PDB file of all heavy atoms in Angstrom:
ATOM      1  N   GLY A 140      12.451  -2.321  -3.583  1.00 96.00           N
ATOM      2  CA  GLY A 140      13.695  -2.961  -3.164  1.00 96.00           C
ATOM      3  C   GLY A 140      13.432  -4.415  -2.839  1.00 96.00           C
ATOM      4  O   GLY A 140      12.839  -5.238  -3.566  1.00 96.00           O
ATOM      5  N   ASP A 141      13.815  -4.746  -1.580  1.00 97.00           N
ATOM      6  CA  ASP A 141      13.680  -6.203  -1.142  1.00 97.00           C
ATOM      7  C   ASP A 141      12.307  -6.400  -0.410  1.00 97.00           C
ATOM      8  O   ASP A 141      12.004  -7.459   0.091  1.00 97.00           O
ATOM      9  CB  ASP A 141      14.782  -6.610  -0.139  1.00 97.00           C
ATOM     10  CG  ASP A 141      16.082  -6.619  -0.777  1.00 97.00           C
ATOM     11  OD1 ASP A 141      16.145  -6.946  -2.019  1.00 97.00           O
ATOM     12  OD2 ASP A 141      17.071  -6.445  -0.078  1.00 97.00           O
ATOM     13  N   TYR A 142      11.511  -5.296  -0.383  1.00 98.00           N
ATOM     14  CA  TYR A 142      10.303  -5.317   0.367  1.00 98.00           C
ATOM     15  C   TYR A 142       9.077  -5.160  -0.647  1.00 98.00           C
ATOM     16  O   TYR A 142       9.187  -4.996  -1.770  1.00 98.00           O
ATOM     17  CB  TYR A 142      10.214  -4.193   1.407  1.00 98.00           C
ATOM     18  CG  TYR A 142      11.479  -4.347   2.200  1.00 98.00           C
ATOM     19  CD1 TYR A 142      12.542  -3.563   2.062  1.00 98.00           C
ATOM     20  CD2 TYR A 142      11.528  -5.347   3.235  1.00 98.00           C
ATOM     21  CE1 TYR A 142      13.753  -3.664   2.787  1.00 98.00           C
ATOM     22  CE2 TYR A 142      12.714  -5.541   4.053  1.00 98.00           C
ATOM     23  CZ  TYR A 142      13.810  -4.705   3.855  1.00 98.00           C
ATOM     24  OH  TYR A 142      14.954  -4.871   4.431  1.00 98.00           O
ATOM     25  N   THR A 143       7.815  -5.373  -0.043  1.00 97.00           N
ATOM     26  CA  THR A 143       6.700  -5.401  -0.803  1.00 97.00           C
ATOM     27  C   THR A 143       5.632  -4.441  -0.181  1.00 97.00           C
ATOM     28  O   THR A 143       5.470  -4.387   1.024  1.00 97.00           O
ATOM     29  CB  THR A 143       6.000  -6.743  -0.954  1.00 97.00           C
ATOM     30  OG1 THR A 143       7.088  -7.631  -1.593  1.00 97.00           O
ATOM     31  CG2 THR A 143       4.823  -6.805  -1.869  1.00 97.00           C
ATOM     32  N   ILE A 144       4.974  -3.638  -1.125  1.00 97.00           N
ATOM     33  CA  ILE A 144       3.730  -2.931  -0.703  1.00 97.00           C
ATOM     34  C   ILE A 144       2.565  -3.742  -1.221  1.00 97.00           C
ATOM     35  O   ILE A 144       2.475  -3.901  -2.418  1.00 97.00           O
ATOM     36  CB  ILE A 144       3.722  -1.531  -1.160  1.00 97.00           C
ATOM     37  CG1 ILE A 144       4.795  -0.755  -0.577  1.00 97.00           C
ATOM     38  CG2 ILE A 144       2.388  -0.892  -0.747  1.00 97.00           C
ATOM     39  CD1 ILE A 144       4.906   0.718  -0.936  1.00 97.00           C
ATOM     40  N   TYR A 145       1.697  -4.200  -0.392  1.00 97.00           N
ATOM     41  CA  TYR A 145       0.414  -4.898  -0.783  1.00 97.00           C
ATOM     42  C   TYR A 145      -0.673  -3.833  -0.829  1.00 97.00           C
ATOM     43  O   TYR A 145      -0.727  -2.980   0.051  1.00 97.00           O
ATOM     44  CB  TYR A 145       0.218  -6.008   0.271  1.00 97.00           C
ATOM     45  CG  TYR A 145       1.229  -7.056   0.275  1.00 97.00           C
ATOM     46  CD1 TYR A 145       2.233  -6.900   1.216  1.00 97.00           C
ATOM     47  CD2 TYR A 145       1.084  -8.157  -0.387  1.00 97.00           C
ATOM     48  CE1 TYR A 145       3.218  -7.993   1.241  1.00 97.00           C
ATOM     49  CE2 TYR A 145       2.109  -9.214  -0.373  1.00 97.00           C
ATOM     50  CZ  TYR A 145       3.178  -9.096   0.642  1.00 97.00           C
ATOM     51  OH  TYR A 145       4.028 -10.049   0.679  1.00 97.00           O
ATOM     52  N   ILE A 146      -1.506  -4.057  -1.771  1.00 95.00           N
ATOM     53  CA  ILE A 146      -2.661  -3.107  -1.919  1.00 95.00           C
ATOM     54  C   ILE A 146      -3.980  -3.992  -1.950  1.00 95.00           C
ATOM     55  O   ILE A 146      -4.143  -4.792  -2.836  1.00 95.00           O
ATOM     56  CB  ILE A 146      -2.452  -2.222  -3.251  1.00 95.00           C
ATOM     57  CG1 ILE A 146      -1.129  -1.595  -3.220  1.00 95.00           C
ATOM     58  CG2 ILE A 146      -3.693  -1.362  -3.260  1.00 95.00           C
ATOM     59  CD1 ILE A 146      -0.971  -0.893  -4.413  1.00 95.00           C
ATOM     60  N   SER A 147      -4.873  -3.586  -1.160  1.00 85.00           N
ATOM     61  CA  SER A 147      -6.188  -4.072  -1.101  1.00 85.00           C
ATOM     62  C   SER A 147      -6.801  -4.061  -2.463  1.00 85.00           C
ATOM     63  O   SER A 147      -6.766  -2.952  -3.223  1.00 85.00           O
ATOM     64  CB  SER A 147      -7.067  -3.468  -0.191  1.00 85.00           C
ATOM     65  OG  SER A 147      -8.439  -3.686  -0.369  1.00 85.00           O
ATOM     66  N   LYS A 148      -7.355  -5.056  -3.041  1.00 87.00           N
ATOM     67  CA  LYS A 148      -7.990  -5.074  -4.349  1.00 87.00           C
ATOM     68  C   LYS A 148      -9.108  -4.040  -4.348  1.00 87.00           C
ATOM     69  O   LYS A 148      -9.413  -3.391  -5.416  1.00 87.00           O
ATOM     70  CB  LYS A 148      -8.449  -6.427  -4.702  1.00 87.00           C
ATOM     71  CG  LYS A 148      -9.694  -6.890  -4.081  1.00 87.00           C
ATOM     72  CD  LYS A 148     -10.231  -8.230  -4.641  1.00 87.00           C
ATOM     73  CE  LYS A 148     -11.508  -8.663  -3.921  1.00 87.00           C
ATOM     74  NZ  LYS A 148     -11.958  -9.817  -4.486  1.00 87.00           N
ATOM     75  N   TYR A 149      -9.754  -3.714  -3.286  1.00 84.00           N
ATOM     76  CA  TYR A 149     -10.848  -2.758  -3.237  1.00 84.00           C
ATOM     77  C   TYR A 149     -10.109  -1.349  -3.364  1.00 84.00           C
ATOM     78  O   TYR A 149     -10.684  -0.364  -3.968  1.00 84.00           O
ATOM     79  CB  TYR A 149     -11.518  -2.792  -1.914  1.00 84.00           C
ATOM     80  CG  TYR A 149     -12.277  -4.158  -1.834  1.00 84.00           C
ATOM     81  CD1 TYR A 149     -11.766  -5.108  -1.055  1.00 84.00           C
ATOM     82  CD2 TYR A 149     -13.333  -4.503  -2.807  1.00 84.00           C
ATOM     83  CE1 TYR A 149     -12.427  -6.381  -0.971  1.00 84.00           C
ATOM     84  CE2 TYR A 149     -14.006  -5.744  -2.713  1.00 84.00           C
ATOM     85  CZ  TYR A 149     -13.461  -6.698  -1.847  1.00 84.00           C
ATOM     86  OH  TYR A 149     -14.069  -7.993  -1.752  1.00 84.00           O
ATOM     87  N   GLN A 150      -9.000  -1.102  -2.692  1.00 83.00           N
ATOM     88  CA  GLN A 150      -8.323   0.279  -2.839  1.00 83.00           C
ATOM     89  C   GLN A 150      -7.654   0.397  -4.170  1.00 83.00           C
ATOM     90  O   GLN A 150      -7.556   1.587  -4.665  1.00 83.00           O
ATOM     91  CB  GLN A 150      -7.290   0.413  -1.784  1.00 83.00           C
ATOM     92  CG  GLN A 150      -7.906   0.650  -0.386  1.00 83.00           C
ATOM     93  CD  GLN A 150      -8.557   2.076  -0.341  1.00 83.00           C
ATOM     94  OE1 GLN A 150      -8.222   2.958  -1.112  1.00 83.00           O
ATOM     95  NE2 GLN A 150      -9.580   2.168   0.430  1.00 83.00           N
ATOM     96  N   ALA A 151      -7.151  -0.676  -4.798  1.00 89.00           N
ATOM     97  CA  ALA A 151      -6.330  -0.601  -6.064  1.00 89.00           C
ATOM     98  C   ALA A 151      -7.165   0.043  -7.210  1.00 89.00           C
ATOM     99  O   ALA A 151      -6.506   0.634  -8.011  1.00 89.00           O
ATOM    100  CB  ALA A 151      -5.858  -1.923  -6.382  1.00 89.00           C
ATOM    101  N   ARG A 152      -8.365  -0.140  -7.106  1.00 88.00           N
ATOM    102  CA  ARG A 152      -9.233   0.464  -8.209  1.00 88.00           C
ATOM    103  C   ARG A 152      -9.186   2.004  -8.260  1.00 88.00           C
ATOM    104  O   ARG A 152      -9.391   2.595  -9.336  1.00 88.00           O
ATOM    105  CB  ARG A 152     -10.801   0.117  -7.921  1.00 88.00           C
ATOM    106  CG  ARG A 152     -11.020  -1.360  -8.025  1.00 88.00           C
ATOM    107  CD  ARG A 152     -12.424  -1.586  -7.667  1.00 88.00           C
ATOM    108  NE  ARG A 152     -12.609  -2.902  -7.441  1.00 88.00           N
ATOM    109  CZ  ARG A 152     -13.882  -3.510  -7.000  1.00 88.00           C
ATOM    110  NH1 ARG A 152     -14.836  -2.674  -6.790  1.00 88.00           N
ATOM    111  NH2 ARG A 152     -13.968  -4.746  -6.811  1.00 88.00           N
ATOM    112  N   TYR A 153      -8.951   2.613  -7.124  1.00 89.00           N
ATOM    113  CA  TYR A 153      -9.026   4.068  -6.931  1.00 89.00           C
ATOM    114  C   TYR A 153      -7.635   4.837  -6.810  1.00 89.00           C
ATOM    115  O   TYR A 153      -7.586   6.006  -6.840  1.00 89.00           O
ATOM    116  CB  TYR A 153      -9.855   4.485  -5.844  1.00 89.00           C
ATOM    117  CG  TYR A 153     -11.242   3.731  -5.846  1.00 89.00           C
ATOM    118  CD1 TYR A 153     -11.494   2.686  -5.062  1.00 89.00           C
ATOM    119  CD2 TYR A 153     -12.187   4.200  -6.805  1.00 89.00           C
ATOM    120  CE1 TYR A 153     -12.783   2.133  -5.131  1.00 89.00           C
ATOM    121  CE2 TYR A 153     -13.386   3.568  -6.872  1.00 89.00           C
ATOM    122  CZ  TYR A 153     -13.697   2.477  -6.017  1.00 89.00           C
ATOM    123  OH  TYR A 153     -14.905   1.883  -6.130  1.00 89.00           O
ATOM    124  N   ILE A 154      -6.494   3.935  -6.595  1.00 92.00           N
ATOM    125  CA  ILE A 154      -5.248   4.466  -6.445  1.00 92.00           C
ATOM    126  C   ILE A 154      -4.395   4.694  -7.617  1.00 92.00           C
ATOM    127  O   ILE A 154      -4.312   3.666  -8.371  1.00 92.00           O
ATOM    128  CB  ILE A 154      -4.501   3.604  -5.384  1.00 92.00           C
ATOM    129  CG1 ILE A 154      -5.379   3.744  -4.010  1.00 92.00           C
ATOM    130  CG2 ILE A 154      -3.155   4.086  -5.183  1.00 92.00           C
ATOM    131  CD1 ILE A 154      -4.662   2.784  -2.927  1.00 92.00           C
ATOM    132  N   GLU A 155      -3.859   5.808  -7.917  1.00 93.00           N
ATOM    133  CA  GLU A 155      -2.927   6.037  -8.917  1.00 93.00           C
ATOM    134  C   GLU A 155      -1.508   6.144  -8.384  1.00 93.00           C
ATOM    135  O   GLU A 155      -0.594   5.763  -9.152  1.00 93.00           O
ATOM    136  CB  GLU A 155      -3.208   7.421  -9.641  1.00 93.00           C
ATOM    137  CG  GLU A 155      -4.520   7.290 -10.439  1.00 93.00           C
ATOM    138  CD  GLU A 155      -4.874   8.477 -11.119  1.00 93.00           C
ATOM    139  OE1 GLU A 155      -4.032   9.419 -11.213  1.00 93.00           O
ATOM    140  OE2 GLU A 155      -6.044   8.719 -11.623  1.00 93.00           O
ATOM    141  N   ALA A 156      -1.442   6.615  -7.200  1.00 95.00           N
ATOM    142  CA  ALA A 156      -0.062   6.681  -6.402  1.00 95.00           C
ATOM    143  C   ALA A 156      -0.153   6.367  -5.064  1.00 95.00           C
ATOM    144  O   ALA A 156      -1.168   6.690  -4.377  1.00 95.00           O
ATOM    145  CB  ALA A 156       0.496   8.104  -6.772  1.00 95.00           C
ATOM    146  N   ILE A 157       0.931   5.799  -4.627  1.00 95.00           N
ATOM    147  CA  ILE A 157       1.053   5.554  -3.086  1.00 95.00           C
ATOM    148  C   ILE A 157       1.949   6.652  -2.592  1.00 95.00           C
ATOM    149  O   ILE A 157       3.047   6.774  -2.989  1.00 95.00           O
ATOM    150  CB  ILE A 157       1.616   4.232  -2.744  1.00 95.00           C
ATOM    151  CG1 ILE A 157       0.753   3.050  -3.292  1.00 95.00           C
ATOM    152  CG2 ILE A 157       1.819   4.034  -1.190  1.00 95.00           C
ATOM    153  CD1 ILE A 157       1.316   1.827  -3.088  1.00 95.00           C
ATOM    154  N   HIS A 158       1.468   7.702  -1.775  1.00 94.00           N
ATOM    155  CA  HIS A 158       2.043   8.771  -1.405  1.00 94.00           C
ATOM    156  C   HIS A 158       2.151   9.034   0.141  1.00 94.00           C
ATOM    157  O   HIS A 158       1.425   8.252   0.883  1.00 94.00           O
ATOM    158  CB  HIS A 158       1.478  10.072  -2.047  1.00 94.00           C
ATOM    159  CG  HIS A 158       0.003  10.104  -1.788  1.00 94.00           C
ATOM    160  ND1 HIS A 158      -0.660  10.569  -0.665  1.00 94.00           N
ATOM    161  CD2 HIS A 158      -1.032   9.658  -2.695  1.00 94.00           C
ATOM    162  CE1 HIS A 158      -1.875  10.353  -0.916  1.00 94.00           C
ATOM    163  NE2 HIS A 158      -2.129   9.939  -2.049  1.00 94.00           N
ATOM    164  N   ARG A 159       2.807  10.011   0.626  1.00 93.00           N
ATOM    165  CA  ARG A 159       3.128  10.333   1.994  1.00 93.00           C
ATOM    166  C   ARG A 159       1.944  10.424   2.774  1.00 93.00           C
ATOM    167  O   ARG A 159       1.806  10.115   4.017  1.00 93.00           O
ATOM    168  CB  ARG A 159       4.050  11.514   2.082  1.00 93.00           C
ATOM    169  CG  ARG A 159       4.463  11.700   3.622  1.00 93.00           C
ATOM    170  CD  ARG A 159       5.652  12.697   3.523  1.00 93.00           C
ATOM    171  NE  ARG A 159       6.255  12.873   4.790  1.00 93.00           N
ATOM    172  CZ  ARG A 159       6.998  11.962   5.449  1.00 93.00           C
ATOM    173  NH1 ARG A 159       7.325  10.855   4.813  1.00 93.00           N
ATOM    174  NH2 ARG A 159       7.427  12.150   6.600  1.00 93.00           N
ATOM    175  N   ARG A 160       0.824  11.049   2.255  1.00 92.00           N
ATOM    176  CA  ARG A 160      -0.327  11.327   2.975  1.00 92.00           C
ATOM    177  C   ARG A 160      -1.055   9.996   3.437  1.00 92.00           C
ATOM    178  O   ARG A 160      -1.971  10.037   4.262  1.00 92.00           O
ATOM    179  CB  ARG A 160      -1.342  12.127   2.247  1.00 92.00           C
ATOM    180  CG  ARG A 160      -0.897  13.587   2.098  1.00 92.00           C
ATOM    181  CD  ARG A 160      -1.779  14.345   1.260  1.00 92.00           C
ATOM    182  NE  ARG A 160      -2.061  13.722   0.012  1.00 92.00           N
ATOM    183  CZ  ARG A 160      -2.305  14.279  -1.153  1.00 92.00           C
ATOM    184  NH1 ARG A 160      -2.538  15.696  -1.214  1.00 92.00           N
ATOM    185  NH2 ARG A 160      -2.583  13.667  -2.162  1.00 92.00           N
ATOM    186  N   MET A 161      -0.553   8.909   2.836  1.00 92.00           N
ATOM    187  CA  MET A 161      -1.211   7.594   3.293  1.00 92.00           C
ATOM    188  C   MET A 161      -0.503   7.061   4.533  1.00 92.00           C
ATOM    189  O   MET A 161      -1.084   5.991   5.229  1.00 92.00           O
ATOM    190  CB  MET A 161      -1.101   6.532   2.213  1.00 92.00           C
ATOM    191  CG  MET A 161      -1.933   6.822   0.995  1.00 92.00           C
ATOM    192  SD  MET A 161      -1.705   5.670  -0.368  1.00 92.00           S
ATOM    193  CE  MET A 161      -2.846   6.250  -1.580  1.00 92.00           C
ATOM    194  N   ILE A 162       0.586   7.600   5.026  1.00 90.00           N
ATOM    195  CA  ILE A 162       1.238   7.191   6.134  1.00 90.00           C
ATOM    196  C   ILE A 162       0.670   7.802   7.374  1.00 90.00           C
ATOM    197  O   ILE A 162       0.552   9.024   7.451  1.00 90.00           O
ATOM    198  CB  ILE A 162       2.715   7.550   6.113  1.00 90.00           C
ATOM    199  CG1 ILE A 162       3.449   6.817   4.856  1.00 90.00           C
ATOM    200  CG2 ILE A 162       3.501   7.100   7.399  1.00 90.00           C
ATOM    201  CD1 ILE A 162       4.897   7.371   4.625  1.00 90.00           C
ATOM    202  N   PRO A 163       0.151   7.058   8.334  1.00 86.00           N
ATOM    203  CA  PRO A 163      -0.468   7.703   9.517  1.00 86.00           C
ATOM    204  C   PRO A 163       0.560   8.463  10.313  1.00 86.00           C
ATOM    205  O   PRO A 163       1.729   8.036  10.381  1.00 86.00           O
ATOM    206  CB  PRO A 163      -0.947   6.478  10.305  1.00 86.00           C
ATOM    207  CG  PRO A 163      -0.847   5.353   9.417  1.00 86.00           C
ATOM    208  CD  PRO A 163       0.115   5.671   8.362  1.00 86.00           C
ATOM    209  N   ILE A 164       0.167   9.591  10.889  1.00 77.00           N
ATOM    210  CA  ILE A 164       1.042  10.354  11.615  1.00 77.00           C
ATOM    211  C   ILE A 164       1.661   9.651  12.768  1.00 77.00           C
ATOM    212  O   ILE A 164       2.798   9.803  13.087  1.00 77.00           O
ATOM    213  CB  ILE A 164       0.233  11.678  12.215  1.00 77.00           C
ATOM    214  CG1 ILE A 164      -0.077  12.484  11.016  1.00 77.00           C
ATOM    215  CG2 ILE A 164       1.074  12.436  13.182  1.00 77.00           C
ATOM    216  CD1 ILE A 164      -1.111  13.693  11.354  1.00 77.00           C
TER     217      ILE A 164
END
Side-chain angles (χ1 to χ4, degrees):
D141 293 334
Y142 306 99
T143 303
I144 295 178
Y145 297 90
I146 304 174
S147 161
K148 70 176 183 176
Y149 299 105
Q150 284 296 329
R152 298 177 192 173
Y153 307 105
I154 293 176
E155 294 180 8
I157 301 172
H158 50 81
R159 186 165 188 75
R160 290 180 305 211
M161 293 180 179
I162 301 170
I164 294 171

